[in-house]
Amino acid sequence: TPYFQRKSGLVRELNFVDVFLLNTFGYALGIALTINASLIGGFAPSANIYIVLSGGLVAALFNGFTYGLFAAVMPKSGADYVYVSRNLGQVYGFVASFGFTVAQLYGFALNSYWAFTQAIAPGLATIGMVTGNSALQPLSMRAGDEKTALWLCIVLMSIIYCISYFGTGFARKVFIIAIFIAMV
């Protein structure tokens, strides 16, 4: 098959643990916490939030484990295109890769916008009220503004583009630091 005859020149830098953490905490769990809860709450307001979040956690763990196994088993570097095309064919691989790219761009833009307007802005207001810091109230209003949130999202996407420019090894180090910041 052509997959094993041609070399891509790419070197796989992420191992099973890296891919598992990236997909579980960096992608799937973020969706389970940010999007699933609000979407399910919108069409089923009486749903038990603990069951929704627990189901999202289980799905995130399975997603991360699946991609982690793909990264460990496949001998060459790759992503959705490589994984799907080797198992189902090149057409399905292209469709999966293209769809994933569009979903990532849309999902990142939407999640970052929601993070600024629905998490950071109310968080700043709450911290300002609890600590008595009156400077955080206007900052909260500013971060929750649609135009400001749009520009903050563009800046965030630009930062991530710059991080990806320095390669996978550098991105892995930044990701590990970001995981600890996010946990705090």
Side-chain angles (χ1 to χ4, degrees):
T1 62
Y3 307 115
F4 299 109
Q5 293 172 356
R6 289 185 243 146
K7 302 239 184 232
S8 66
L10 298 174
V11 177
R12 185 175 65 189
E13 294 185 41
L14 301 177
N15 59 26
F16 171 81
V17 174
D18 294 332
V19 175
F20 176 78
L21 289 175
L22 180 67
N23 281 285
T24 303
F25 297 111
Y27 180 69
L29 193 59
I31 289 175
L33 292 175
T34 58
I35 296 176
N36 291 355
S38 60
L39 288 178
I40 291 173
F43 69 83
S46 62
N48 186 335
I49 190 67
Y50 298 112
I51 293 174
V52 170
L53 294 179
S54 298
L57 174 64
V58 170
L61 291 174
F62 277 111
N63 178 62
F65 186 70
T66 302
Y67 275 96
L69 286 178
F70 275 142
V73 171
M74 298 290 180
K76 293 182 183 177
S77 178
D80 281 356
Y81 174 76
V82 174
Y83 301 149
V84 174
S85 63
R86 288 184 184 172
N87 292 297
L88 300 175
Q90 290 179 339
V91 172
Y92 293 110
F94 173 77
V95 170
S97 181
F98 182 77
F100 184 74
T101 302
V102 171
Q104 286 296 304
L105 290 173
Y106 174 75
F108 182 76
L110 188 61
N111 280 342
S112 58
Y113 178 79
W114 281 352
F116 287 117
T117 59
Q118 304 298 317
I120 294 174
L124 288 172
T126 303
I127 292 170
M129 285 189 285
V130 169
T131 62
N133 187 345
S134 60
L136 290 179
Q137 293 292 341
L139 190 59
S140 167
M141 297 294 289
R142 186 87 170 142
D145 179 55
E146 289 182 6
K147 289 182 182 179
T148 304
L150 171 68
W151 283 109
L152 290 171
C153 292
I154 291 171
V155 168
L156 186 61
M157 290 178 82
S158 300
I159 290 170
I160 291 176
Y161 174 77
C162 291
I163 290 171
S164 68
Y165 177 78
F166 290 107
T168 309
F170 181 75
R172 179 183 352 164
K173 291 174 186 169
V174 171
F175 180 72
I176 290 170
I177 293 169
I179 288 262
F180 287 117
I181 293 171
M183 285 183 188
V184 170

